[in-house]
């Protein structure tokens, strides 16, 4: 009795998801014409958290790089935006892109340091690096030192003439960044780097013995994620209008909440962070005014998820119905002759 | 999938607000009976987190404000209901910016009020300035509010206003207190690397210049990070300079650490005048009996000779009411939280049309009134958009209804505020 088999990437579910996804993206792109100003702002926030979550999920879920120091790059991106726009006279939109590039460049030497550590030591090491960044920027008096600085109103106005023009432009940039982050993870995973990363995720030692260049792969992913995170950081502080070391390098806002989103959504998938970010914002809308109880509820949910559904909500869904919305995996279809 | 969340969001907010009104004490809504419109005032304050002490009295103040506005306020012959929407900054400047934007864009507030430290007032003021919503802030010295927001004394800001005292006042009050005790005029300074510490320690605008001018010799060992656990370097610097006075602007846990270590290492200054750290009785109580005669800036006490323009209550009435309602000792932010709404109501009444941001802003700019914390006038401040309130100095003394009482011991700049006792050296 012989078996024949085929390797399948896209499934019916993923093709349907693609169609629905395109419709959703079109709807979202038109949001300035149907949503209120408050909704637009909220969606910008959702988009940047989604991008941060995709990056963290890429690092931890595929690269095995559990970083608790991503706020280093969020803060760096934010500060670069302020420095370039306020002192360099660079157009804020161009500064946004440059901030991402500079952050990626800074991530290269950072990676050399951080990669000397592995596992839990790596996690703590990245946090330490972020603290060094925070303390470093607190010493730069031109950027306000420990007090921080505000983005001058004239610079904000230089983005676009009218207030709605400004808000719409920022919205589209945020949407592009969110989609860009999803696309980046998707393309990375479809490439040969993705295969290498999946192998590293499953067993670093085994993959290395099979000839996977683990160091180079992880290095590349780390730097790419840092660049994207820096770009998101610049966008965040373009929205906040004010930066200070404590706000820019906040471990709670830019890493702990992002880990929460990825953990409840489902780590190591593209769908997980999308679901996680939706759940997080629903919770926040309902519970943010409960004071300390809000944080206790978030913590409780995270603990319960880790205990009872370690692969998050998406893990439960994909286990039950065996679906993948993004065709990044491979499945073996066997037929008996 | 993403789209459906944004659509259900409206419904969620509504049910959330309804739920919050039942469950929590954070949402205060009061409808007037006969009304021609509704005025929404957004209020951002640090209800939770390390700054929560500042917001402790908010619920009590809002109860009084809501009662006073229960029948609405009359503006140009029309009666408007008043709704105060409260948001918690969680003591986080990022969150403060977010909730301010929510109040502006979702709730469409007509006026914003914000209180408690530059970490809260500045991000909220920035959001209001760029969105063109009038904003009143307080409880942050005016320099960190004005200068770190990029304020230009020639231009000022368009929509944001601030009332509080400034560094020049705290310097004047501290040196007045130090002059009343026999010392060698050697001062040790503890300035952290944060919004307040950088402003206080600034060589041009901070303590160093005026102290030198008055013959005090300042030893400043440099900026330290908040939440330090070792002040040995500072203590030995002060011992070497035999500083009999110690000053600075520390956060409460750092002062507790510093003071305990100073005792252990045998450093016993005659005067300790510390900004920010000693505002709340709970911090002093935590020191046991070692809190006796520590001194602090005093922005408001029940003995301040002012009364509310809304309720007519005296400062003492407001403070006593708080103690009666909560069983807790009065704290300084109580008066300022109340005064925020006094300034707000006054500007709204004079605006002619409270729904027009620019008219409210114009009315705000012309503010000239008396509040429970003293006169507020945005025409004659040290820089545009700022009004200064009087500042005195005081010492914590054991005894009275609570473990420690705040006694005013220096009133040179505000002689209307009665002295409660003489300045004493720490024994």
């Amino acid at each position: 009795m012989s078996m024949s088999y085929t390797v399948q990437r896209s499934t019916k579910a993923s093709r349907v998801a693609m169609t629905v996804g395109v419709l959703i993206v079109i709807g979202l792109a038109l949001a300035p014409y149907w949503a209120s100003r408050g909704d637009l702002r909220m969606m910008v926030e959702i988009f940047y958290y989604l991008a941060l979550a995709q990056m963290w999920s890429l690092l931890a879920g595929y690269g095995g790089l559990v970083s608790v120091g991503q706020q280093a790059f969020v803060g760096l991106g934010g500060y670069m935006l302020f420095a370039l726009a306020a002192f360099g006279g660079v157009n804020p939109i161009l500064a946004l892109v440059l901030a991402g590039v500079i952050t990626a460049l800074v991530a290269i030497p950072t990676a050399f340091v951080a990669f000397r550590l592995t596992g839990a030591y790596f996690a703590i090491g990245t946090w330490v690096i972020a603290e060094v960044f925070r303390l470093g920027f607190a010493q730069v008096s031109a950027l306000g030192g420990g007090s921080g600085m505000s983005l001058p109103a004239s610079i904000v106005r230089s983005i676009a003439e009218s207030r709605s023009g400004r808000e719409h432009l920022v919205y589209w940039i945020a949407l592009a960044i969110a989609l860009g982050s999803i696309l980046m993870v998707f393309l990375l995973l479809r490439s040969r780097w993705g295969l290498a990363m999946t192998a590293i995720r499953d067993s670093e030692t085994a993959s290395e013995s099979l000839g996977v260049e683990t160091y180079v792969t992880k290095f590349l992913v780390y730097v790419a994620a840092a660049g994207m995170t820096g770009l998101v950081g610049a966008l965040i502080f373009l929205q906040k209008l004010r930066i200070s070391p404590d706000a820019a390098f906040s471990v709670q806002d830019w890493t702990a909440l992002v880990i929460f989103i990825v953990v409840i959504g489902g780590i190591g998938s593209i769908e997980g962070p999308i679901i996680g970010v939706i759940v997080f914002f629903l919770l926040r809308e309902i519970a943010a005014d409960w004071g300390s109880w809000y944080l206790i509820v978030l913590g409780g949910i995270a603990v319960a998820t880790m205990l009872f559904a370690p692969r998050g909500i998406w893990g439960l869904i994909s286990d039950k119905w065996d679906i993948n919305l993004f065709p990044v995996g491979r499945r073996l279809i066997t037929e008996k002759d | 999938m993403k789209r459906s969340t944004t659509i259900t969001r409206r419904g969620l907010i509504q049910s959330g607000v309804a739920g919050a009104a039942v469950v929590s004490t954070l949402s205060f809504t009061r409808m007037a009976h006969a009304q021609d419109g509704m005025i929404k005032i957004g209020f951002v304050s640090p209800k939770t987190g390390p700054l929560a002490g500042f917001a402790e009295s908010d619920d009590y103040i809002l109860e009084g404000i809501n009662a006073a506005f229960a029948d609405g306020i009359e503006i140009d012959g029309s009666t408007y209901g008043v709704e105060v929407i409260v948001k918690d900054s969680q003591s986080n400047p990022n969150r403060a910016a977010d909730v301010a934007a929510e109040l502006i864009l979702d709730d469409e507030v007509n006026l914003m009020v914000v209180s408690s430290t530059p970490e809260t007032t500045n991000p909220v003021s920035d959001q209001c300035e760029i969105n063109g919503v009038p904003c009143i802030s307080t409880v942050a010295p005016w320099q960190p509010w004005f200068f770190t927001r990029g304020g230009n004394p020639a231009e000022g800001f368009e929509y944001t206003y601030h009332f509080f005292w400034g560094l020049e006042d705290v310097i004047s009050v501290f040196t007045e207190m130090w002059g009343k005790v026999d010392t060698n005029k050697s001062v040790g300074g503890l300035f952290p690397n944060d919004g307040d510490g950088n402003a206080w320690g600034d060589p041009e605008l901070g303590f160093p210049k005026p102290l030198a001018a008055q013959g005090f010799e300042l030893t400043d060992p440099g900026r330290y990070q908040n939440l330090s656990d070792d002040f040995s370097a500072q203590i030995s610097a002060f011992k070497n300079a035999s500083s009999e006075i110690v000053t600075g602007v520390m956060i409460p846990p750092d002062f507790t650490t510093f003071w305990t270590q100073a005792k252990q290492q045998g450093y016993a200054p005659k005067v300790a005048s510390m900004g920010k750290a000693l505002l709340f009785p709970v911090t002093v109580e935590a020191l046991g009996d070692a809190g006796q005669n520590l001194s602090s800036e005093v922005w408001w006490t029940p003995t301040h000779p002012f009364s509310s323009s809304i309720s007519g209550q005296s400062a003492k009435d407001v403070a006593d009411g708080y103690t009666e309602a909560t069983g807790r000792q009065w704290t300084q932010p109580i008066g300022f939280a109340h005064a925020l709404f006094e300034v707000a109501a006054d500007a709204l009444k004079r605006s002619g049309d409270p729904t027009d941001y620019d008219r409210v802003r114009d009315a705000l700019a012309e503010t000239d009134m008396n509040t429970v914390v003293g006169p507020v006038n945005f025409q004659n401040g040290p820089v545009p958009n700022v009004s200064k309130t009087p500042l005195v100095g005081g010492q914590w003394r054991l005894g009275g209804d609570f473990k420690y009482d705040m006694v005013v011991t220096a009133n040179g700049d505000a002689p209307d505020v009665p002295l409660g006792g003489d300045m004493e050296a720490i024994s």
Side-chain angles (χ1 to χ4, degrees):
Chain A
M1 201 165 77
S2 71
M3 300 241 284
S4 71
Y5 62 90
T6 49
V7 174
Q8 191 186 35
R9 297 210 84 164
S10 62
T11 59
K12 193 172 168 201
S14 75
R15 282 185 294 270
V16 172
M18 183 61 114
T19 319
V20 175
V22 168
L23 291 176
I24 289 174
V25 168
I26 292 171
L28 286 174
L30 297 174
Y33 305 102
W34 56 261
S36 71
R37 290 174 67 201
D39 289 341
L40 281 185
R41 188 189 151 91
M42 160 83 57
M43 283 194 278
V44 168
E45 214 179 328
I46 292 175
F47 293 153
Y48 64 63
Y49 265 109
L50 175 58
L52 290 179
Q54 289 293 358
M55 289 306 108
W56 196 83
S57 171
L58 176 69
L59 283 178
Y62 289 96
L65 298 165
V66 179
S67 164
V68 282
Q70 289 308 95
Q71 70 275 19
F73 303 122
V74 172
L76 185 62
Y79 265 109
M80 287 305 112
L81 169 81
F82 274 56
L84 290 167
F87 300 113
V90 181
N91 175 288
I93 304 300
L94 178 64
L96 214 62
V97 180
L98 287 176
V101 174
I102 294 171
T103 308
L105 292 176
V106 173
I108 294 172
T110 310
F112 286 130
V113 177
F115 280 26
R116 300 186 68 87
L117 306 166
T118 53
Y121 298 98
F122 175 82
I124 300 301
T126 52
W127 193 350
V128 171
I129 290 167
E131 285 297 290
V132 170
F133 278 39
R134 181 175 71 85
L135 296 174
F137 276 97
Q139 307 306 320
V140 184
S141 53
L143 293 167
S147 333
M149 69 179 285
S150 300
L151 199 58
S154 58
I155 289 176
V156 182
R157 294 198 182 101
S158 75
I159 298 174
E161 285 289 311
S162 69
R163 187 158 70 196
S164 62
R166 210 156 58 221
E167 286 170 356
H168 295 176
L169 190 59
V170 168
Y171 172 82
W172 281 317
I173 291 169
L175 177 61
I177 288 176
L179 295 175
S181 72
I182 293 174
L183 196 69
M184 175 176 149
V185 177
F186 179 74
L187 292 178
L188 249 176
L189 293 181
R190 297 270 298 203
S191 74
R192 60 192 211 86
W193 296 107
L195 194 60
M197 284 164 63
T198 317
I200 293 171
R201 177 191 63 184
D202 293 340
S203 167
E204 189 167 343
T205 323
S207 54
E208 194 156 7
S209 72
L210 288 170
V212 175
E213 297 214 46
T214 55
Y215 190 92
V216 178
T217 311
K218 282 159 61 171
F219 188 89
L220 217 93
V221 171
Y222 184 79
V223 171
M228 183 55 106
T229 305
L231 176 63
V232 175
L235 172 76
I236 290 172
F237 287 96
L238 183 63
Q239 278 283 89
K240 302 247 187 258
L241 303 171
R242 183 173 175 79
I243 198 163
S244 63
D246 290 346
F249 300 100
S250 161
V251 65
Q252 186 195 323
D253 288 352
W254 313 131
T255 299
L257 287 180
V258 170
I259 295 178
F260 172 82
I261 288 171
V262 176
V263 164
I264 55 168
I267 194 167
S269 65
I270 296 178
E271 297 89 343
I274 299 176
I275 291 176
V277 87
I278 292 168
V279 171
F280 169 67
F281 275 86
L282 286 176
L283 280 170
R284 206 181 76 174
E285 285 296 306
I286 297 166
D289 289 336
W290 294 358
S292 313
W293 281 107
Y294 164 61
L295 295 172
I296 295 171
V297 166
L298 288 192
I301 292 174
V303 171
T305 310
M306 283 185 270
L307 287 177
F308 302 111
R311 287 178 54 231
I313 296 171
W314 182 252
L316 293 179
I317 295 174
S318 69
D319 282 352
K320 182 146 190 192
W321 290 290
D322 188 30
I323 50 170
N324 278 303
L325 301 184
F326 292 89
V328 290
R330 292 172 177 78
R331 51 182 73 212
L332 196 64
I333 310 291
T334 52
E335 291 151 28
K336 282 183 193 159
D337 282 342
Chain B
M1 210 178 289
K2 270 178 276 175
R3 192 173 176 183
S4 68
T5 24
T6 55
I7 288 169
T8 56
R9 203 180 132 243
R10 283 259 161 242
L12 255 167
I13 291 170
Q14 276 149 14
S15 58
V17 168
V22 178
V23 178
S24 91
T25 51
L26 289 173
S27 169
F28 292 85
T29 318
R30 191 74 48 109
M31 296 281 205
H33 300 295
Q35 51 180 285
D36 302 300
M38 202 68 196
I39 303 171
K40 287 184 187 168
I41 301 176
F43 179 33
V44 181
S45 88
K47 295 284 296 178
T48 54
L51 302 175
F54 283 95
E56 200 180 48
S57 61
D58 285 358
D59 290 350
Y60 163 72
I61 293 298
L62 283 165
E63 234 170 83
I65 295 297
N66 281 310
F69 291 155
D71 297 325
I73 54 178
E74 201 180 302
I75 299 166
D76 245 10
S78 310
T79 306
Y80 291 85
V82 177
E83 182 186 354
V84 179
I85 307 171
V86 189
K87 295 272 180 188
D88 177 11
S89 76
Q90 297 168 4
S91 300
N92 174 342
N94 287 323
R95 187 71 191 147
D98 287 341
V99 294
E102 268 176 40
L103 287 168
I104 294 168
L105 301 175
D106 287 327
D107 299 306
E108 296 178 344
V109 295
N110 303 102
L111 178 64
M112 185 83 78
V113 295
V114 55
S115 166
S116 309
T117 79
E119 278 67 39
T120 320
T121 57
N122 291 7
V124 174
S125 298
D126 284 342
Q127 291 291 336
C128 290
E129 184 74 19
I130 203 71
N131 282 297
V133 174
C135 174
I136 312 164
S137 65
T138 190
V139 189
W142 67 263
Q143 285 93 342
W145 179 82
F146 191 84
F147 291 111
T148 77
R149 292 182 55 224
N152 176 349
E155 291 167 19
F157 297 104
E158 251 188 279
Y159 288 93
T160 48
Y161 291 82
H162 187 77
F163 65 95
F164 209 54
W165 42 268
L167 296 179
E168 67 284 10
D169 301 306
V170 80
I171 292 168
S172 157
V173 163
F174 277 12
T175 50
E176 184 192 343
M177 288 198 288
W178 303 343
K180 293 182 175 191
V181 177
D182 188 28
T183 67
N184 62 1
K185 294 197 129 188
S186 172
V187 183
L190 286 157
F191 305 112
N193 187 6
D194 66 9
D196 286 322
N198 286 320
W200 290 44
D202 189 275
E204 287 304 311
L205 302 164
F207 270 53
K209 263 193 177 172
L211 252 50
Q214 295 187 47
F216 289 99
E217 193 192 329
L218 178 67
T219 306
D220 179 1
R223 306 294 151 269
Y224 64 89
Q225 287 299 318
N226 279 330
L227 296 174
S228 293
D229 51 15
D230 184 8
F231 287 96
S232 305
Q234 285 87 347
I235 291 168
S236 77
F238 299 161
K239 275 164 97 175
N240 287 339
S242 54
S243 303
E244 292 185 345
I245 302 169
V246 62
T247 189
V249 54
M250 305 179 92
I251 57 171
D254 282 350
F255 179 76
T256 308
T257 310
F258 165 74
W259 198 238
T260 314
Q261 291 180 353
K263 295 256 156 190
Q264 285 164 354
Q265 297 173 24
Y267 173 56
K270 287 184 181 171
V271 182
S273 299
M274 197 54 66
K276 194 153 85 174
L278 300 171
L279 294 174
F280 300 110
V282 55
T283 321
V284 192
E285 282 163 20
L287 295 168
D289 288 346
Q292 172 77 348
N293 280 330
L294 291 175
S295 47
S296 164
E297 82 279 19
V298 177
W299 354 311
W300 187 78
T301 67
T303 61
H304 272 53
F306 307 120
S307 56
S308 163
S309 61
I310 294 179
S311 62
Q313 290 170 293
S314 66
K316 189 168 181 340
D317 293 339
V318 174
D320 288 351
Y322 174 69
T323 303
E324 207 169 290
T326 62
R328 284 192 292 241
Q329 193 170 358
W330 63 273
T331 59
Q332 301 192 35
I334 298 177
F336 280 82
H338 187 90
L340 261 183
F341 290 96
E342 289 186 62
V343 179
D346 177 71
L348 290 168
K349 279 179 193 160
R350 285 183 291 105
S351 66
D353 180 1
T355 59
D356 184 330
Y357 292 134
D358 288 356
R359 291 184 67 176
V360 174
R361 187 267 320 266
D362 293 344
L364 199 51
E366 286 162 14
T367 297
D368 178 8
M369 66 181 301
N370 290 309
T371 72
V372 76
V373 299
V376 173
N377 182 336
F378 290 122
Q379 301 286 321
N380 60 8
V383 290
N385 304 69
V386 169
S387 173
K388 290 214 306 184
T389 54
L391 188 70
V392 295
Q395 285 186 302
W396 289 103
R397 296 267 162 82
L398 287 160
D401 289 345
F402 295 91
K403 184 171 168 76
Y404 281 97
D405 260 344
M406 172 50 77
V407 176
V408 175
T409 56
N411 67 349
D413 296 334
D416 293 350
V417 179
L419 286 177
D422 289 328
M423 186 77 191
E424 290 172 10
I426 299 169
S427 50

